[in-house]
Amino acid sequence: MISDPYAELGRDYARSRRPDPRIAATVTAALGDARSVVNVGAGAGSYEPEDRDVIAVEPSSRMIAQRPGGAAPAVQACAEGLPFRDNAFDVALAVLTVHHWTDVTAGLAELRRVSRRQVIVTWDQAVFARFWLVRDYLPEIAEHESRLACLDRIVDELRAAGETPEVAPLPVPSDCVDGFLGAYWRRPEAYLSERVRAGMSGVALLDQNVVADAVGRLRADLADGHWHRHHVGLLGRTELDLGYRLVTTT
Protein backbone atom coordinates (compact mmCIF):
# COMPACT_ATOMS: atom_id res chain seq x y z
CA MET A 1 0.00 0.00 0.00
CA ILE A 2 1.33 3.45 -0.98
CA SER A 3 1.73 5.87 1.93
CA ASP A 4 -0.21 9.08 1.33
CA PRO A 5 1.24 12.04 3.26
CA TYR A 6 -0.85 14.34 1.09
CA ALA A 7 -4.15 12.91 2.33
CA GLU A 8 -4.41 16.04 4.48
CA LEU A 9 -1.67 18.29 3.12
CA GLY A 10 -3.05 18.10 -0.42
CA ARG A 11 -6.70 18.81 0.35
CA ASP A 12 -6.84 22.03 -1.68
CA TYR A 13 -3.92 21.73 -4.06
CA ALA A 14 -5.99 22.05 -7.23
CA ARG A 15 -6.97 25.56 -6.14
CA SER A 16 -3.86 26.77 -4.34
CA ARG A 17 -1.26 25.28 -6.69
CA ARG A 18 -2.31 26.36 -10.15
CA PRO A 19 0.42 26.47 -12.80
CA ASP A 20 1.87 29.91 -13.47
CA PRO A 21 1.90 30.51 -17.23
CA ARG A 22 5.39 32.07 -17.27
CA ILE A 23 6.92 29.20 -15.34
CA ALA A 24 4.95 26.77 -17.50
CA ALA A 25 6.41 28.34 -20.65
CA THR A 26 9.94 27.87 -19.30
CA VAL A 27 9.28 24.26 -18.33
CA THR A 28 7.66 23.51 -21.68
CA ALA A 29 10.60 25.05 -23.54
CA ALA A 30 12.95 22.80 -21.57
CA LEU A 31 11.08 19.76 -22.90
CA GLY A 32 12.35 20.66 -26.35
CA ASP A 33 11.04 18.46 -29.14
CA ALA A 34 9.99 15.63 -26.82
CA ARG A 35 6.72 14.03 -27.84
CA SER A 36 6.25 11.70 -24.87
CA VAL A 37 6.55 12.85 -21.25
CA VAL A 38 6.17 11.09 -17.93
CA ASN A 39 5.35 13.57 -15.17
CA VAL A 40 6.62 12.02 -11.93
CA GLY A 41 5.19 13.33 -8.68
CA ALA A 42 2.55 14.97 -10.84
CA GLY A 43 0.22 16.12 -8.07
CA ALA A 44 -2.97 17.68 -9.40
CA GLY A 45 -1.47 18.09 -12.88
CA SER A 46 0.40 21.39 -12.88
CA TYR A 47 2.89 22.02 -15.69
CA GLU A 48 1.83 19.09 -17.84
CA PRO A 49 2.12 20.18 -21.50
CA GLU A 50 -1.09 19.87 -23.47
CA ASP A 51 0.61 19.33 -26.83
CA ARG A 52 2.51 16.13 -25.91
CA ASP A 53 1.67 12.56 -24.98
CA VAL A 54 1.79 12.66 -21.18
CA ILE A 55 1.40 10.04 -18.48
CA ALA A 56 1.32 11.23 -14.88
CA VAL A 57 2.72 9.31 -11.93
CA GLU A 58 1.50 10.27 -8.47
CA PRO A 59 1.52 8.27 -5.21
CA SER A 60 -1.30 10.22 -3.52
CA SER A 61 -4.88 9.24 -4.23
CA ARG A 62 -5.94 12.61 -2.78
CA MET A 63 -3.92 14.40 -5.43
CA ILE A 64 -5.05 12.15 -8.28
CA ALA A 65 -8.67 12.85 -7.36
CA GLN A 66 -8.05 16.58 -7.87
CA ARG A 67 -6.79 16.22 -11.42
CA PRO A 68 -9.13 18.08 -13.77
CA GLY A 69 -11.25 16.42 -16.39
CA GLY A 70 -9.28 15.98 -19.58
CA ALA A 71 -5.96 15.80 -17.76
CA ALA A 72 -3.38 13.23 -18.76
CA PRO A 73 -4.00 9.69 -17.48
CA ALA A 74 -2.48 9.09 -14.06
CA VAL A 75 -0.87 6.01 -12.55
CA GLN A 76 -0.67 5.65 -8.78
CA ALA A 77 2.96 4.77 -8.16
CA CYS A 78 6.17 6.11 -6.62
CA ALA A 79 9.24 7.54 -8.33
CA GLU A 80 11.36 4.74 -6.88
CA GLY A 81 9.43 2.09 -8.82
CA LEU A 82 8.07 3.39 -12.12
CA PRO A 83 5.89 0.81 -13.89
CA PHE A 84 7.26 1.44 -17.38
CA ARG A 85 9.75 -0.22 -19.71
CA ASP A 86 13.22 1.19 -20.32
CA ASN A 87 13.33 4.32 -22.51
CA ALA A 88 9.55 4.46 -22.70
CA PHE A 89 9.52 8.29 -22.80
CA ASP A 90 11.45 11.08 -24.42
CA VAL A 91 11.51 13.13 -21.21
CA ALA A 92 10.82 12.58 -17.51
CA LEU A 93 9.47 15.68 -15.79
CA ALA A 94 9.65 16.20 -12.01
CA VAL A 95 8.40 19.54 -10.65
CA LEU A 96 9.09 20.35 -6.98
CA THR A 97 8.80 16.71 -5.98
CA VAL A 98 12.25 15.13 -5.55
CA HIS A 99 12.55 16.43 -1.98
CA HIS A 100 9.53 14.29 -1.04
CA TRP A 101 10.98 11.01 -2.33
CA THR A 102 12.05 8.38 0.18
CA ASP A 103 15.02 7.16 -1.90
CA VAL A 104 16.38 9.91 -4.15
CA THR A 105 19.09 7.76 -5.69
CA ALA A 106 16.57 5.13 -6.73
CA GLY A 107 14.04 7.70 -7.93
CA LEU A 108 16.49 9.55 -10.15
CA ALA A 109 17.79 6.24 -11.49
CA GLU A 110 14.22 5.35 -12.43
CA LEU A 111 13.78 8.67 -14.24
CA ARG A 112 16.93 7.93 -16.21
CA ARG A 113 15.83 4.38 -16.90
CA VAL A 114 12.45 5.25 -18.40
CA SER A 115 13.41 8.44 -20.27
CA ARG A 116 16.11 9.75 -22.55
CA ARG A 117 16.23 13.17 -20.87
CA GLN A 118 15.18 14.61 -17.52
CA VAL A 119 13.69 18.01 -16.64
CA ILE A 120 13.57 18.72 -12.90
CA VAL A 121 12.41 21.77 -10.95
CA THR A 122 13.97 22.12 -7.50
CA TRP A 123 15.64 24.86 -5.47
CA ASP A 124 18.99 26.00 -4.11
CA GLN A 125 18.65 25.81 -0.33
CA ALA A 126 21.37 28.36 0.33
CA VAL A 127 19.66 30.99 -1.81
CA PHE A 128 16.21 30.22 -0.46
CA ALA A 129 17.43 30.58 3.14
CA ARG A 130 17.94 34.30 2.39
CA PHE A 131 14.28 34.77 1.44
CA TRP A 132 12.80 37.27 3.92
CA LEU A 133 10.07 34.89 5.09
CA VAL A 134 12.65 32.29 6.03
CA ARG A 135 15.41 34.60 7.28
CA ASP A 136 13.24 36.94 9.36
CA TYR A 137 10.25 34.87 10.44
CA LEU A 138 10.62 31.12 9.89
CA PRO A 139 14.27 30.02 9.94
CA GLU A 140 12.84 26.62 10.89
CA ILE A 141 12.06 26.22 7.18
CA ALA A 142 15.76 26.34 6.32
CA GLU A 143 16.56 23.95 9.13
CA HIS A 144 13.95 21.48 7.90
CA GLU A 145 14.98 21.86 4.26
CA SER A 146 18.65 21.25 5.06
CA ARG A 147 17.71 17.57 5.35
CA LEU A 148 15.91 17.43 2.01
CA ALA A 149 17.24 16.43 -1.39
CA CYS A 150 17.31 19.62 -3.41
CA LEU A 151 19.61 21.16 -6.02
CA ASP A 152 23.04 20.05 -4.79
CA ARG A 153 21.93 16.48 -4.14
CA ILE A 154 20.15 16.19 -7.49
CA VAL A 155 23.13 17.54 -9.43
CA ASP A 156 25.54 15.26 -7.53
CA GLU A 157 23.38 12.21 -8.19
CA LEU A 158 23.06 12.97 -11.90
CA ARG A 159 26.79 13.58 -12.28
CA ALA A 160 27.59 10.37 -10.44
CA ALA A 161 25.39 8.57 -12.95
CA GLY A 162 27.38 10.00 -15.85
CA GLU A 163 25.00 12.84 -16.76
CA THR A 164 25.98 16.47 -17.37
CA PRO A 165 23.14 18.44 -15.81
CA GLU A 166 22.55 22.05 -16.76
CA VAL A 167 21.14 24.40 -14.12
CA ALA A 168 19.20 27.58 -14.89
CA PRO A 169 17.47 30.08 -12.58
CA LEU A 170 13.69 30.04 -12.46
CA PRO A 171 12.70 33.53 -11.26
CA VAL A 172 9.38 33.93 -9.46
CA PRO A 173 7.00 36.56 -10.92
CA SER A 174 5.65 39.12 -8.46
CA ASP A 175 2.09 38.04 -9.29
CA CYS A 176 2.81 34.29 -9.46
CA VAL A 177 -0.43 32.30 -9.48
CA ASP A 178 1.14 29.04 -8.29
CA GLY A 179 1.01 29.16 -4.50
CA PHE A 180 4.32 27.47 -3.70
CA LEU A 181 6.32 28.71 -0.75
CA GLY A 182 8.08 31.64 -2.41
CA ALA A 183 5.19 32.76 -4.60
CA TYR A 184 4.09 35.68 -2.43
CA TRP A 185 7.45 37.37 -1.92
CA ARG A 186 5.95 40.77 -2.88
CA ARG A 187 2.50 40.05 -1.40
CA PRO A 188 3.32 39.31 2.25
CA GLU A 189 -0.31 39.54 3.40
CA ALA A 190 -0.94 36.22 1.67
CA TYR A 191 1.19 34.38 4.23
CA LEU A 192 -1.31 35.37 6.92
CA SER A 193 -3.91 33.08 5.32
CA GLU A 194 -4.13 29.57 6.71
CA ARG A 195 -5.58 28.37 3.41
CA VAL A 196 -2.61 29.75 1.48
CA ARG A 197 -0.11 28.22 3.90
CA ALA A 198 -1.84 24.84 3.71
CA GLY A 199 -0.61 24.46 0.12
CA MET A 200 3.02 24.96 1.12
CA SER A 201 4.59 21.79 2.46
CA GLY A 202 7.58 23.75 3.78
CA VAL A 203 5.23 25.54 6.19
CA ALA A 204 2.48 22.97 6.64
CA LEU A 205 4.91 20.31 7.88
CA LEU A 206 6.38 22.53 10.62
CA ASP A 207 5.22 22.77 14.21
CA GLN A 208 2.11 24.91 13.80
CA ASN A 209 2.70 26.67 17.11
CA VAL A 210 5.98 27.95 15.67
CA VAL A 211 4.17 28.98 12.49
CA ALA A 212 1.45 30.79 14.45
CA ASP A 213 4.07 32.81 16.33
CA ALA A 214 5.83 33.76 13.09
CA VAL A 215 2.54 34.72 11.43
CA GLY A 216 1.71 36.89 14.43
CA ARG A 217 5.00 38.75 14.12
CA LEU A 218 4.50 39.21 10.38
CA ARG A 219 0.97 40.51 10.94
CA ALA A 220 2.29 43.08 13.42
CA ASP A 221 5.09 44.15 11.06
CA LEU A 222 2.57 44.64 8.26
CA ALA A 223 0.19 46.57 10.49
CA ASP A 224 2.78 49.12 11.65
CA GLY A 225 4.51 49.43 8.27
CA HIS A 226 7.78 47.82 9.37
CA TRP A 227 7.73 45.18 6.63
CA HIS A 228 7.18 47.71 3.85
CA ARG A 229 9.88 50.04 5.17
CA HIS A 230 12.36 47.19 5.48
CA HIS A 231 11.57 45.69 2.06
CA VAL A 232 10.89 48.80 0.02
CA GLY A 233 13.42 47.58 -2.55
CA LEU A 234 11.17 44.64 -3.43
CA LEU A 235 8.07 46.67 -4.14
CA GLY A 236 9.09 47.74 -7.64
CA ARG A 237 10.42 44.34 -8.71
CA THR A 238 8.48 42.23 -11.20
CA GLU A 239 10.40 39.01 -10.53
CA LEU A 240 12.89 37.69 -8.00
CA ASP A 241 15.42 34.89 -7.83
CA LEU A 242 14.55 32.94 -4.70
CA GLY A 243 16.68 29.95 -5.61
CA TYR A 244 14.25 27.93 -7.69
CA ARG A 245 16.18 26.10 -10.38
CA LEU A 246 15.51 24.19 -13.58
CA VAL A 247 17.80 21.18 -13.99
CA THR A 248 18.00 19.51 -17.39
CA THR A 249 20.03 16.71 -18.90
CA THR A 250 20.92 16.28 -22.53
Side-chain angles (χ1 to χ4, degrees), residues 139-153:
E140 293 82 3
I141 292 175
E143 180 182 353
H144 170 71
E145 290 185 351
S146 68
R147 301 185 290 272
L148 303 181
C150 297
L151 179 64
D152 289 347
R153 174 73 183 280

Side-chain angles (χ1 to χ4, degrees), residues 132 137 185-189 192 218-236:
W132 63 259
Y137 297 95
W185 59 267
R186 209 182 76 175
R187 296 167 289 167
E189 295 83 1
L192 304 181
L218 175 58
R219 179 178 287 106
D221 286 350
L222 291 170
D224 67 10
H226 172 81
W227 187 93
H228 289 84
R229 290 191 300 272
H230 192 62
H231 299 288
V232 65
L234 295 179
L235 302 181

